[in-house]
Amino acid sequence: MSVKRAAGVLAFAVAAGGVGSAVIVGSAASGAPRPPAWVPAQPVTLAPPPATAPHLESMPKTTLHLPSTLHLVNSTTGARRLDSSHTVYSAALDKPGTRKIIGTAAYTCTAVTSGALRQDCHGALALKNGVILIEESQNINTGQTDGTIVGGSGYYKGAHGTISGRDLGGGKTKLAVDYSFD
């Protein structure tokens, strides 16, 4: 088909409103001109949209920070007395009932003799996904520990809550760390 004839056929198709709804079939293979035949276009069917948009499926998953409680056994691995009232401790953090170490802890403590004999401690619980900063007080006579979560890093950034525990003897303390986020 010559360029001139193709332009004429296209102009006719546009005038008739057939572009987009029909297919123009050109000349025969023998090269002999033949009039264009109009073949109706096949209807287009669209696939249903996916249940979830693809860009949402590829987005990273986020973790929802819900109030939670960590149950730990704090096993003292080292202690050093700095003077008559100050001591530094290090500890391994285990899951209760197992011997699996899930973190470490470090404390600086000051002995307080006014009222009940106790030691006030500042500490850090270093776990797999971050660090929890605590301030606690341990009653030397009863072995009861109570304290506050004052912050954290990593997963525990912005954490607040309480810490409580009891002395198990042999340098071990069972702890419950109740934390949440604003």
Side-chain angles (χ1 to χ4, degrees):
M1 181 183 295
S2 70
V3 173
K4 190 174 184 182
R5 181 173 169 105
V9 170
L10 183 58
F12 174 76
V14 169
V19 175
S21 63
V23 176
I24 299 173
V25 178
S27 63
S30 65
R34 78 172 198 213
W38 295 92
V39 179
Q42 297 296 320
V44 177
T45 54
L46 299 175
T52 305
H55 69 280
L56 293 177
E57 291 175 356
S58 63
M59 301 226 9
K61 305 286 188 245
T62 57
T63 303
L64 181 63
H65 295 295
L66 298 175
S68 187
T69 302
L70 283 172
H71 295 282
L72 306 169
V73 174
N74 183 37
S75 303
T76 302
T77 57
R80 182 166 187 187
R81 183 173 290 277
L82 301 177
D83 59 31
S84 62
S85 61
H86 295 89
T87 307
V88 178
Y89 296 95
S90 61
L93 300 173
D94 306 344
K95 282 187 170 182
T98 70
R99 293 186 182 222
K100 181 179 179 184
I101 296 175
I102 60 170
T104 59
Y107 304 93
T108 59
C109 300
T110 304
V112 179
T113 55
S114 63
L117 184 60
R118 69 177 198 276
Q119 58 181 358
D120 292 336
C121 303
H122 300 282
L125 309 176
L127 302 163
K128 178 181 178 183
N129 297 321
V131 175
I132 299 174
L133 302 174
I134 61 170
E135 292 179 358
E136 65 181 19
S137 181
Q138 183 178 28
N139 184 314
I140 301 299
N141 295 327
T142 64
Q144 185 66 32
T145 300
D146 294 300
T148 304
I149 297 171
V150 295
S153 67
Y155 176 84
Y156 304 102
K157 183 176 182 178
H160 57 85
T162 60
I163 185 167
S164 60
R166 63 182 173 85
D167 186 21
L168 298 176
K172 295 184 179 201
T173 305
K174 186 173 185 176
L175 299 174
V177 183
D178 293 312
Y179 65 92
S180 62
F181 302 88
D182 289 334

